[in-house]
């Protein structure tokens, strides 16, 4: 499952490609997407990818995503984390993403691209997905002067993402070890201690 913005940098295309290339329509697995797009925008986006993939003769033969719009509030988000087992963050050059950290706290597997800031917060490197440096290309940049072709960002490898999603599916379980890690490193008390240490240095 995915929770986050719908943008060029979010790279939902990689998630759709990896999921449908790896899982057949009859397998007991679902992809849940909770994002900021509207229904038509997201529907057209997903259908275009499926059409171009050409795995099945028609779009209707693909497994349908579970789409939740708009972004959930905190209580609803917690319910989704309890429902899912594997949170996937395919974003390009992601520094930090609170939904991924929340998923970790609920004991879920969290897949993120390596060589990105968010990977530093995911302790199990088994779930770090290969990235490659690529030329920045954005159809809808948040500001006109950023994300130009003169910049570079890291893009997740869809083949490795599909492989890691399969591994997560085959080993679906929740773990309490993640919660201890979150408490020890990212709780208010832990952050306050780190700030105090830095200020006193």
């Amino acid at each position: 499952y995915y929770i986050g913005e719908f943008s060029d940098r979010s790279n939902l295309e990689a998630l759709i490609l990896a999921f449908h290339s790896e899982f057949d329509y009859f397998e007991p697995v679902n992809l849940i997407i909770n994002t900021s797009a509207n229904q038509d925008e997201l529907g057209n986006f997903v259908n275009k990818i499926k059409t171009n993939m050409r795995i099945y003769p028609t779009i209707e033969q693909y497994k349908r995503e579970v789409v939740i719009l708009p972004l959930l509030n905190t209580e609803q988000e917690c319910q989704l984390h309890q429902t899912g087992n594997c949170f996937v963050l395919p974003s390009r050059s992601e520094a930090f993403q609170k939904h991924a950290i929340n998923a970790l706290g609920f004991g879920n597997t969290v897949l993120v691209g390596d060589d990105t800031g968010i990977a530093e917060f995911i302790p199990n490197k088994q779930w770090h997905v290969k990235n490659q440096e690529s030329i920045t290309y954005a159809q809808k940049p948040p500001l006109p002067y950023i994300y130009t072709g003169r910049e570079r960002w890291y893009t997740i490898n869809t083949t490795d993402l599909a492989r890691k999603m399969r591994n997560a599916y085959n080993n679906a379980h929740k773990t309490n070890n993640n919660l201890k890690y979150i408490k020890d490193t990212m709780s208010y008390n832990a952050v306050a201690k780190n700030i105090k240490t830095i200020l006193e240095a």
Side-chain angles (χ1 to χ4, degrees):
Y1 68 104
Y2 167 83
I3 306 172
E5 296 295 326
F6 180 73
S7 66
D8 290 304
R9 198 174 66 81
S10 298
N11 195 21
L12 279 183
E13 180 180 20
L15 176 58
I16 303 299
L17 285 168
F19 180 82
H20 289 294
S21 68
E22 182 62 35
F23 297 103
D24 289 311
Y25 71 92
F26 54 81
E27 294 188 72
V29 57
N30 289 298
L31 174 61
I32 304 173
I33 299 174
N34 175 223
T35 189
S36 56
N38 63 54
Q39 189 73 50
D40 290 340
E41 183 180 25
L42 184 61
N44 292 336
F45 175 81
V46 171
N47 287 342
K48 182 178 179 180
I49 295 171
K50 290 178 178 179
T51 299
N52 291 339
M53 289 182 77
R54 292 179 288 115
I55 293 176
Y56 303 108
T58 65
I59 292 175
E60 289 71 26
Q61 291 174 278
Y62 285 84
K63 181 179 282 290
R64 293 191 57 154
E65 299 77 15
V66 178
V67 176
I68 304 172
L69 304 174
L71 284 171
L72 300 173
N73 61 37
T74 301
E75 182 178 349
Q76 294 167 331
E77 180 190 333
C78 290
Q79 293 174 349
L80 180 51
H81 288 304
Q82 290 174 310
T83 301
N85 290 97
C86 176
F87 182 90
V88 183
L89 185 64
S91 303
R92 298 179 173 99
S93 298
E94 189 71 65
F96 185 87
Q97 210 248 26
K98 66 177 182 179
H99 306 300
I101 300 303
N102 290 342
L104 199 67
F106 275 91
N108 292 330
T109 297
V110 177
L111 303 183
V112 298
D114 60 12
D115 296 320
T116 59
I118 188 64
E120 297 179 16
F121 299 96
I122 309 301
N124 192 340
K125 293 186 178 181
Q126 173 187 357
W127 304 118
H128 291 190
V129 183
K130 293 178 183 177
N131 265 1
Q132 60 261 353
E133 186 179 18
S134 59
I135 298 170
T136 304
Y137 174 78
Q139 298 183 57
K140 297 180 180 179
L143 295 169
Y145 49 84
I146 64 173
Y147 297 168
T148 71
R150 296 185 183 277
E151 301 170 56
R152 302 292 184 270
W153 56 15
Y154 282 90
T155 301
I156 207 161
N157 182 294
T158 53
T159 302
D160 195 44
L161 177 58
R163 186 181 301 115
K164 296 288 172 57
M165 289 170 71
R166 172 62 70 179
N167 290 343
Y169 170 77
N170 289 338
N171 300 280
H173 65 279
K174 293 179 182 287
T175 173
N176 291 326
N177 294 337
N178 290 349
L179 183 57
K180 183 180 185 305
Y181 166 75
I182 293 294
K183 287 181 177 179
D184 291 345
T185 60
M186 280 175 266
S187 67
Y188 286 122
N189 286 338
V191 173
K193 287 180 181 178
N194 287 337
I195 294 174
K196 182 181 179 183
T197 300
I198 293 170
L199 293 176
E200 292 177 346

PDB file of all heavy atoms in Angstrom, residues 49-79:
ATOM      1  N   ILE A  49      -0.975   3.327 -17.953  1.00  0.00           N
ATOM      2  CA  ILE A  49       0.146   2.433 -17.659  1.00  0.00           C
ATOM      3  C   ILE A  49      -0.223   0.995 -18.012  1.00  0.00           C
ATOM      4  O   ILE A  49       0.554   0.271 -18.653  1.00  0.00           O
ATOM      5  CB  ILE A  49       0.544   2.535 -16.171  1.00  0.00           C
ATOM      6  CG1 ILE A  49       1.075   3.931 -15.868  1.00  0.00           C
ATOM      7  CG2 ILE A  49       1.601   1.483 -15.823  1.00  0.00           C
ATOM      8  CD1 ILE A  49       1.295   4.196 -14.390  1.00  0.00           C
ATOM      9  N   LYS A  50      -1.405   0.552 -17.603  1.00  0.00           N
ATOM     10  CA  LYS A  50      -1.840  -0.820 -17.880  1.00  0.00           C
ATOM     11  C   LYS A  50      -1.955  -1.068 -19.384  1.00  0.00           C
ATOM     12  O   LYS A  50      -1.558  -2.128 -19.882  1.00  0.00           O
ATOM     13  CB  LYS A  50      -3.191  -1.078 -17.208  1.00  0.00           C
ATOM     14  CG  LYS A  50      -3.125  -1.154 -15.693  1.00  0.00           C
ATOM     15  CD  LYS A  50      -4.527  -1.351 -15.120  1.00  0.00           C
ATOM     16  CE  LYS A  50      -4.499  -1.475 -13.613  1.00  0.00           C
ATOM     17  NZ  LYS A  50      -5.850  -1.632 -13.041  1.00  0.00           N
ATOM     18  N   THR A  51      -2.473  -0.088 -20.099  1.00  0.00           N
ATOM     19  CA  THR A  51      -2.603  -0.223 -21.551  1.00  0.00           C
ATOM     20  C   THR A  51      -1.244  -0.388 -22.209  1.00  0.00           C
ATOM     21  O   THR A  51      -1.051  -1.240 -23.090  1.00  0.00           O
ATOM     22  CB  THR A  51      -3.316   1.004 -22.139  1.00  0.00           C
ATOM     23  OG1 THR A  51      -4.636   1.100 -21.585  1.00  0.00           O
ATOM     24  CG2 THR A  51      -3.436   0.899 -23.652  1.00  0.00           C
ATOM     25  N   ASN A  52      -0.287   0.411 -21.766  1.00  0.00           N
ATOM     26  CA  ASN A  52       1.051   0.354 -22.357  1.00  0.00           C
ATOM     27  C   ASN A  52       1.821  -0.897 -21.943  1.00  0.00           C
ATOM     28  O   ASN A  52       2.703  -1.352 -22.672  1.00  0.00           O
ATOM     29  CB  ASN A  52       1.842   1.603 -21.972  1.00  0.00           C
ATOM     30  CG  ASN A  52       1.305   2.870 -22.632  1.00  0.00           C
ATOM     31  OD1 ASN A  52       0.613   2.795 -23.645  1.00  0.00           O
ATOM     32  ND2 ASN A  52       1.610   4.021 -22.062  1.00  0.00           N
ATOM     33  N   MET A  53       1.482  -1.465 -20.786  1.00  0.00           N
ATOM     34  CA  MET A  53       2.168  -2.692 -20.341  1.00  0.00           C
ATOM     35  C   MET A  53       1.768  -3.882 -21.225  1.00  0.00           C
ATOM     36  O   MET A  53       2.566  -4.786 -21.439  1.00  0.00           O
ATOM     37  CB  MET A  53       1.822  -2.989 -18.872  1.00  0.00           C
ATOM     38  CG  MET A  53       2.444  -2.035 -17.885  1.00  0.00           C
ATOM     39  SD  MET A  53       2.046  -2.487 -16.163  1.00  0.00           S
ATOM     40  CE  MET A  53       3.176  -3.883 -15.927  1.00  0.00           C
ATOM     41  N   ARG A  54       0.511  -3.956 -21.661  1.00  0.00           N
ATOM     42  CA  ARG A  54       0.021  -4.988 -22.576  1.00  0.00           C
ATOM     43  C   ARG A  54       0.208  -6.411 -22.031  1.00  0.00           C
ATOM     44  O   ARG A  54       0.487  -7.339 -22.782  1.00  0.00           O
ATOM     45  CB  ARG A  54       0.687  -4.843 -23.951  1.00  0.00           C
ATOM     46  CG  ARG A  54       0.261  -3.580 -24.672  1.00  0.00           C
ATOM     47  CD  ARG A  54       0.925  -3.396 -26.024  1.00  0.00           C
ATOM     48  NE  ARG A  54       2.333  -3.037 -25.867  1.00  0.00           N
ATOM     49  CZ  ARG A  54       3.338  -3.800 -26.252  1.00  0.00           C
ATOM     50  NH1 ARG A  54       3.118  -4.976 -26.820  1.00  0.00           N
ATOM     51  NH2 ARG A  54       4.586  -3.406 -26.082  1.00  0.00           N
ATOM     52  N   ILE A  55       0.053  -6.573 -20.721  1.00  0.00           N
ATOM     53  CA  ILE A  55       0.110  -7.914 -20.136  1.00  0.00           C
ATOM     54  C   ILE A  55      -1.158  -8.686 -20.464  1.00  0.00           C
ATOM     55  O   ILE A  55      -1.129  -9.882 -20.763  1.00  0.00           O
ATOM     56  CB  ILE A  55       0.322  -7.824 -18.612  1.00  0.00           C
ATOM     57  CG1 ILE A  55       1.711  -7.252 -18.307  1.00  0.00           C
ATOM     58  CG2 ILE A  55       0.152  -9.193 -17.950  1.00  0.00           C
ATOM     59  CD1 ILE A  55       1.981  -7.031 -16.835  1.00  0.00           C
ATOM     60  N   TYR A  56      -2.287  -7.997 -20.413  1.00  0.00           N
ATOM     61  CA  TYR A  56      -3.577  -8.594 -20.735  1.00  0.00           C
ATOM     62  C   TYR A  56      -4.201  -7.838 -21.905  1.00  0.00           C
ATOM     63  O   TYR A  56      -3.887  -6.657 -22.130  1.00  0.00           O
ATOM     64  CB  TYR A  56      -4.508  -8.537 -19.520  1.00  0.00           C
ATOM     65  CG  TYR A  56      -3.941  -9.207 -18.291  1.00  0.00           C
ATOM     66  CD1 TYR A  56      -3.507  -8.445 -17.209  1.00  0.00           C
ATOM     67  CD2 TYR A  56      -3.824 -10.590 -18.209  1.00  0.00           C
ATOM     68  CE1 TYR A  56      -2.973  -9.047 -16.068  1.00  0.00           C
ATOM     69  CE2 TYR A  56      -3.302 -11.201 -17.082  1.00  0.00           C
ATOM     70  CZ  TYR A  56      -2.880 -10.425 -16.014  1.00  0.00           C
ATOM     71  OH  TYR A  56      -2.357 -11.029 -14.897  1.00  0.00           O
ATOM     72  N   PRO A  57      -5.100  -8.487 -22.640  1.00  0.00           N
ATOM     73  CA  PRO A  57      -5.725  -7.833 -23.797  1.00  0.00           C
ATOM     74  C   PRO A  57      -6.531  -6.588 -23.442  1.00  0.00           C
ATOM     75  O   PRO A  57      -6.608  -5.648 -24.227  1.00  0.00           O
ATOM     76  CB  PRO A  57      -6.633  -8.926 -24.374  1.00  0.00           C
ATOM     77  CG  PRO A  57      -6.027 -10.210 -23.908  1.00  0.00           C
ATOM     78  CD  PRO A  57      -5.474  -9.909 -22.554  1.00  0.00           C
ATOM     79  N   THR A  58      -7.158  -6.582 -22.251  1.00  0.00           N
ATOM     80  CA  THR A  58      -7.983  -5.442 -21.858  1.00  0.00           C
ATOM     81  C   THR A  58      -7.626  -4.995 -20.443  1.00  0.00           C
ATOM     82  O   THR A  58      -7.109  -5.782 -19.631  1.00  0.00           O
ATOM     83  CB  THR A  58      -9.484  -5.790 -21.884  1.00  0.00           C
ATOM     84  OG1 THR A  58      -9.757  -6.779 -20.884  1.00  0.00           O
ATOM     85  CG2 THR A  58      -9.893  -6.304 -23.253  1.00  0.00           C
ATOM     86  N   ILE A  59      -7.915  -3.738 -20.138  1.00  0.00           N
ATOM     87  CA  ILE A  59      -7.654  -3.186 -18.805  1.00  0.00           C
ATOM     88  C   ILE A  59      -8.452  -3.928 -17.746  1.00  0.00           C
ATOM     89  O   ILE A  59      -7.987  -4.138 -16.620  1.00  0.00           O
ATOM     90  CB  ILE A  59      -8.010  -1.683 -18.787  1.00  0.00           C
ATOM     91  CG1 ILE A  59      -7.022  -0.899 -19.659  1.00  0.00           C
ATOM     92  CG2 ILE A  59      -7.987  -1.134 -17.360  1.00  0.00           C
ATOM     93  CD1 ILE A  59      -7.363   0.559 -19.804  1.00  0.00           C
ATOM     94  N   GLU A  60      -9.647  -4.358 -18.095  1.00  0.00           N
ATOM     95  CA  GLU A  60     -10.534  -5.027 -17.148  1.00  0.00           C
ATOM     96  C   GLU A  60      -9.954  -6.342 -16.614  1.00  0.00           C
ATOM     97  O   GLU A  60     -10.383  -6.830 -15.565  1.00  0.00           O
ATOM     98  CB  GLU A  60     -11.888  -5.292 -17.788  1.00  0.00           C
ATOM     99  CG  GLU A  60     -12.743  -4.054 -18.023  1.00  0.00           C
ATOM    100  CD  GLU A  60     -12.210  -3.165 -19.142  1.00  0.00           C
ATOM    101  OE1 GLU A  60     -11.518  -3.698 -20.042  1.00  0.00           O
ATOM    102  OE2 GLU A  60     -12.478  -1.947 -19.103  1.00  0.00           O
ATOM    103  N   GLN A  61      -8.992  -6.914 -17.318  1.00  0.00           N
ATOM    104  CA  GLN A  61      -8.422  -8.190 -16.899  1.00  0.00           C
ATOM    105  C   GLN A  61      -7.331  -8.036 -15.841  1.00  0.00           C
ATOM    106  O   GLN A  61      -6.925  -9.016 -15.223  1.00  0.00           O
ATOM    107  CB  GLN A  61      -7.875  -8.947 -18.117  1.00  0.00           C
ATOM    108  CG  GLN A  61      -8.968  -9.435 -19.061  1.00  0.00           C
ATOM    109  CD  GLN A  61      -8.397 -10.058 -20.325  1.00  0.00           C
ATOM    110  OE1 GLN A  61      -8.046  -9.364 -21.272  1.00  0.00           O
ATOM    111  NE2 GLN A  61      -8.295 -11.374 -20.331  1.00  0.00           N
ATOM    112  N   TYR A  62      -6.867  -6.800 -15.642  1.00  0.00           N
ATOM    113  CA  TYR A  62      -5.893  -6.551 -14.586  1.00  0.00           C
ATOM    114  C   TYR A  62      -6.593  -6.561 -13.225  1.00  0.00           C
ATOM    115  O   TYR A  62      -7.793  -6.257 -13.122  1.00  0.00           O
ATOM    116  CB  TYR A  62      -5.240  -5.177 -14.753  1.00  0.00           C
ATOM    117  CG  TYR A  62      -4.223  -5.078 -15.864  1.00  0.00           C
ATOM    118  CD1 TYR A  62      -4.630  -4.829 -17.178  1.00  0.00           C
ATOM    119  CD2 TYR A  62      -2.866  -5.202 -15.607  1.00  0.00           C
ATOM    120  CE1 TYR A  62      -3.699  -4.708 -18.200  1.00  0.00           C
ATOM    121  CE2 TYR A  62      -1.930  -5.073 -16.623  1.00  0.00           C
ATOM    122  CZ  TYR A  62      -2.353  -4.836 -17.922  1.00  0.00           C
ATOM    123  OH  TYR A  62      -1.437  -4.725 -18.919  1.00  0.00           O
ATOM    124  N   LYS A  63      -5.856  -6.895 -12.188  1.00  0.00           N
ATOM    125  CA  LYS A  63      -6.373  -6.746 -10.833  1.00  0.00           C
ATOM    126  C   LYS A  63      -6.610  -5.255 -10.573  1.00  0.00           C
ATOM    127  O   LYS A  63      -5.765  -4.423 -10.898  1.00  0.00           O
ATOM    128  CB  LYS A  63      -5.391  -7.318  -9.810  1.00  0.00           C
ATOM    129  CG  LYS A  63      -5.892  -7.203  -8.370  1.00  0.00           C
ATOM    130  CD  LYS A  63      -4.902  -7.812  -7.407  1.00  0.00           C
ATOM    131  CE  LYS A  63      -4.987  -9.326  -7.405  1.00  0.00           C
ATOM    132  NZ  LYS A  63      -6.238  -9.810  -6.779  1.00  0.00           N
ATOM    133  N   ARG A  64      -7.736  -4.937  -9.981  1.00  0.00           N
ATOM    134  CA  ARG A  64      -8.067  -3.541  -9.718  1.00  0.00           C
ATOM    135  C   ARG A  64      -7.431  -3.063  -8.423  1.00  0.00           C
ATOM    136  O   ARG A  64      -7.437  -3.769  -7.424  1.00  0.00           O
ATOM    137  CB  ARG A  64      -9.582  -3.348  -9.637  1.00  0.00           C
ATOM    138  CG  ARG A  64     -10.284  -3.576 -10.959  1.00  0.00           C
ATOM    139  CD  ARG A  64     -11.716  -3.109 -10.899  1.00  0.00           C
ATOM    140  NE  ARG A  64     -11.801  -1.690 -10.532  1.00  0.00           N
ATOM    141  CZ  ARG A  64     -12.807  -0.901 -10.873  1.00  0.00           C
ATOM    142  NH1 ARG A  64     -13.820  -1.375 -11.561  1.00  0.00           N
ATOM    143  NH2 ARG A  64     -12.829   0.345 -10.508  1.00  0.00           N
ATOM    144  N   GLU A  65      -6.875  -1.865  -8.463  1.00  0.00           N
ATOM    145  CA  GLU A  65      -6.310  -1.270  -7.266  1.00  0.00           C
ATOM    146  C   GLU A  65      -7.447  -0.852  -6.316  1.00  0.00           C
ATOM    147  O   GLU A  65      -8.543  -0.532  -6.765  1.00  0.00           O
ATOM    148  CB  GLU A  65      -5.478  -0.022  -7.604  1.00  0.00           C
ATOM    149  CG  GLU A  65      -4.292  -0.280  -8.501  1.00  0.00           C
ATOM    150  CD  GLU A  65      -4.665  -0.469  -9.950  1.00  0.00           C
ATOM    151  OE1 GLU A  65      -5.810  -0.123 -10.329  1.00  0.00           O
ATOM    152  OE2 GLU A  65      -3.839  -0.980 -10.709  1.00  0.00           O
ATOM    153  N   VAL A  66      -7.150  -0.837  -5.040  1.00  0.00           N
ATOM    154  CA  VAL A  66      -8.071  -0.274  -4.055  1.00  0.00           C
ATOM    155  C   VAL A  66      -7.657   1.176  -3.871  1.00  0.00           C
ATOM    156  O   VAL A  66      -6.571   1.459  -3.344  1.00  0.00           O
ATOM    157  CB  VAL A  66      -8.002  -1.029  -2.713  1.00  0.00           C
ATOM    158  CG1 VAL A  66      -8.947  -0.388  -1.694  1.00  0.00           C
ATOM    159  CG2 VAL A  66      -8.336  -2.503  -2.917  1.00  0.00           C
ATOM    160  N   VAL A  67      -8.477   2.093  -4.338  1.00  0.00           N
ATOM    161  CA  VAL A  67      -8.133   3.514  -4.323  1.00  0.00           C
ATOM    162  C   VAL A  67      -8.916   4.225  -3.225  1.00  0.00           C
ATOM    163  O   VAL A  67     -10.145   4.096  -3.141  1.00  0.00           O
ATOM    164  CB  VAL A  67      -8.427   4.162  -5.688  1.00  0.00           C
ATOM    165  CG1 VAL A  67      -8.168   5.661  -5.629  1.00  0.00           C
ATOM    166  CG2 VAL A  67      -7.573   3.504  -6.770  1.00  0.00           C
ATOM    167  N   ILE A  68      -8.208   4.979  -2.397  1.00  0.00           N
ATOM    168  CA  ILE A  68      -8.824   5.751  -1.321  1.00  0.00           C
ATOM    169  C   ILE A  68      -8.453   7.209  -1.525  1.00  0.00           C
ATOM    170  O   ILE A  68      -7.277   7.578  -1.485  1.00  0.00           O
ATOM    171  CB  ILE A  68      -8.344   5.272   0.061  1.00  0.00           C
ATOM    172  CG1 ILE A  68      -8.619   3.771   0.238  1.00  0.00           C
ATOM    173  CG2 ILE A  68      -9.019   6.069   1.171  1.00  0.00           C
ATOM    174  CD1 ILE A  68      -8.009   3.184   1.493  1.00  0.00           C
ATOM    175  N   LEU A  69      -9.454   8.040  -1.756  1.00  0.00           N
ATOM    176  CA  LEU A  69      -9.247   9.472  -1.971  1.00  0.00           C
ATOM    177  C   LEU A  69     -10.163  10.273  -1.053  1.00  0.00           C
ATOM    178  O   LEU A  69     -11.285   9.849  -0.779  1.00  0.00           O
ATOM    179  CB  LEU A  69      -9.553   9.831  -3.430  1.00  0.00           C
ATOM    180  CG  LEU A  69      -8.787   9.057  -4.522  1.00  0.00           C
ATOM    181  CD1 LEU A  69      -9.322   9.432  -5.893  1.00  0.00           C
ATOM    182  CD2 LEU A  69      -7.299   9.327  -4.436  1.00  0.00           C
ATOM    183  N   PRO A  70      -9.715  11.441  -0.562  1.00  0.00           N
ATOM    184  CA  PRO A  70      -8.362  12.013  -0.640  1.00  0.00           C
ATOM    185  C   PRO A  70      -7.478  11.394   0.440  1.00  0.00           C
ATOM    186  O   PRO A  70      -7.791  10.318   0.959  1.00  0.00           O
ATOM    187  CB  PRO A  70      -8.616  13.489  -0.384  1.00  0.00           C
ATOM    188  CG  PRO A  70      -9.772  13.494   0.573  1.00  0.00           C
ATOM    189  CD  PRO A  70     -10.649  12.339   0.144  1.00  0.00           C
ATOM    190  N   LEU A  71      -6.400  12.099   0.785  1.00  0.00           N
ATOM    191  CA  LEU A  71      -5.515  11.600   1.835  1.00  0.00           C
ATOM    192  C   LEU A  71      -6.273  11.467   3.153  1.00  0.00           C
ATOM    193  O   LEU A  71      -7.080  12.321   3.504  1.00  0.00           O
ATOM    194  CB  LEU A  71      -4.317  12.539   2.016  1.00  0.00           C
ATOM    195  CG  LEU A  71      -3.233  12.451   0.938  1.00  0.00           C
ATOM    196  CD1 LEU A  71      -2.224  13.573   1.100  1.00  0.00           C
ATOM    197  CD2 LEU A  71      -2.522  11.101   0.987  1.00  0.00           C
ATOM    198  N   LEU A  72      -6.008  10.386   3.872  1.00  0.00           N
ATOM    199  CA  LEU A  72      -6.729  10.091   5.106  1.00  0.00           C
ATOM    200  C   LEU A  72      -6.273  10.978   6.258  1.00  0.00           C
ATOM    201  O   LEU A  72      -5.142  11.472   6.276  1.00  0.00           O
ATOM    202  CB  LEU A  72      -6.497   8.627   5.491  1.00  0.00           C
ATOM    203  CG  LEU A  72      -6.958   7.574   4.482  1.00  0.00           C
ATOM    204  CD1 LEU A  72      -6.502   6.187   4.920  1.00  0.00           C
ATOM    205  CD2 LEU A  72      -8.476   7.609   4.330  1.00  0.00           C
ATOM    206  N   ASN A  73      -7.184  11.165   7.241  1.00  0.00           N
ATOM    207  CA  ASN A  73      -6.771  11.844   8.459  1.00  0.00           C
ATOM    208  C   ASN A  73      -5.968  10.866   9.323  1.00  0.00           C
ATOM    209  O   ASN A  73      -5.823   9.692   8.979  1.00  0.00           O
ATOM    210  CB  ASN A  73      -7.975  12.416   9.214  1.00  0.00           C
ATOM    211  CG  ASN A  73      -8.968  11.340   9.643  1.00  0.00           C
ATOM    212  OD1 ASN A  73      -8.581  10.236  10.027  1.00  0.00           O
ATOM    213  ND2 ASN A  73     -10.261  11.664   9.603  1.00  0.00           N
ATOM    214  N   THR A  74      -5.463  11.326  10.444  1.00  0.00           N
ATOM    215  CA  THR A  74      -4.551  10.523  11.255  1.00  0.00           C
ATOM    216  C   THR A  74      -5.187   9.220  11.722  1.00  0.00           C
ATOM    217  O   THR A  74      -4.573   8.137  11.629  1.00  0.00           O
ATOM    218  CB  THR A  74      -4.080  11.329  12.476  1.00  0.00           C
ATOM    219  OG1 THR A  74      -3.419  12.507  12.020  1.00  0.00           O
ATOM    220  CG2 THR A  74      -3.111  10.506  13.320  1.00  0.00           C
ATOM    221  N   GLU A  75      -6.417   9.288  12.226  1.00  0.00           N
ATOM    222  CA  GLU A  75      -7.082   8.082  12.722  1.00  0.00           C
ATOM    223  C   GLU A  75      -7.322   7.074  11.603  1.00  0.00           C
ATOM    224  O   GLU A  75      -7.089   5.869  11.763  1.00  0.00           O
ATOM    225  CB  GLU A  75      -8.415   8.451  13.379  1.00  0.00           C
ATOM    226  CG  GLU A  75      -9.155   7.256  13.961  1.00  0.00           C
ATOM    227  CD  GLU A  75     -10.455   7.638  14.649  1.00  0.00           C
ATOM    228  OE1 GLU A  75     -10.683   8.846  14.862  1.00  0.00           O
ATOM    229  OE2 GLU A  75     -11.243   6.728  14.968  1.00  0.00           O
ATOM    230  N   GLN A  76      -7.761   7.564  10.456  1.00  0.00           N
ATOM    231  CA  GLN A  76      -8.009   6.681   9.311  1.00  0.00           C
ATOM    232  C   GLN A  76      -6.708   6.084   8.783  1.00  0.00           C
ATOM    233  O   GLN A  76      -6.669   4.919   8.374  1.00  0.00           O
ATOM    234  CB  GLN A  76      -8.728   7.460   8.210  1.00  0.00           C
ATOM    235  CG  GLN A  76     -10.132   7.909   8.572  1.00  0.00           C
ATOM    236  CD  GLN A  76     -10.679   8.924   7.592  1.00  0.00           C
ATOM    237  OE1 GLN A  76      -9.932   9.690   6.972  1.00  0.00           O
ATOM    238  NE2 GLN A  76     -11.997   8.955   7.436  1.00  0.00           N
ATOM    239  N   GLU A  77      -5.657   6.890   8.794  1.00  0.00           N
ATOM    240  CA  GLU A  77      -4.359   6.389   8.344  1.00  0.00           C
ATOM    241  C   GLU A  77      -3.895   5.231   9.222  1.00  0.00           C
ATOM    242  O   GLU A  77      -3.372   4.224   8.723  1.00  0.00           O
ATOM    243  CB  GLU A  77      -3.308   7.498   8.375  1.00  0.00           C
ATOM    244  CG  GLU A  77      -1.930   7.027   7.911  1.00  0.00           C
ATOM    245  CD  GLU A  77      -0.829   8.037   8.149  1.00  0.00           C
ATOM    246  OE1 GLU A  77      -1.113   9.249   8.179  1.00  0.00           O
ATOM    247  OE2 GLU A  77       0.326   7.596   8.298  1.00  0.00           O
ATOM    248  N   CYS A  78      -4.105   5.348  10.526  1.00  0.00           N
ATOM    249  CA  CYS A  78      -3.721   4.274  11.447  1.00  0.00           C
ATOM    250  C   CYS A  78      -4.457   2.976  11.111  1.00  0.00           C
ATOM    251  O   CYS A  78      -3.878   1.889  11.166  1.00  0.00           O
ATOM    252  CB  CYS A  78      -4.013   4.682  12.886  1.00  0.00           C
ATOM    253  SG  CYS A  78      -2.925   5.981  13.516  1.00  0.00           S
ATOM    254  N   GLN A  79      -5.714   3.092  10.727  1.00  0.00           N
ATOM    255  CA  GLN A  79      -6.493   1.913  10.357  1.00  0.00           C
ATOM    256  C   GLN A  79      -5.913   1.248   9.111  1.00  0.00           C
ATOM    257  O   GLN A  79      -5.868   0.014   9.015  1.00  0.00           O
ATOM    258  CB  GLN A  79      -7.953   2.303  10.125  1.00  0.00           C
ATOM    259  CG  GLN A  79      -8.673   2.755  11.383  1.00  0.00           C
ATOM    260  CD  GLN A  79     -10.076   3.284  11.106  1.00  0.00           C
ATOM    261  OE1 GLN A  79     -10.452   3.497   9.947  1.00  0.00           O
ATOM    262  NE2 GLN A  79     -10.849   3.503  12.156  1.00  0.00           N
TER     263      GLN A  79
END
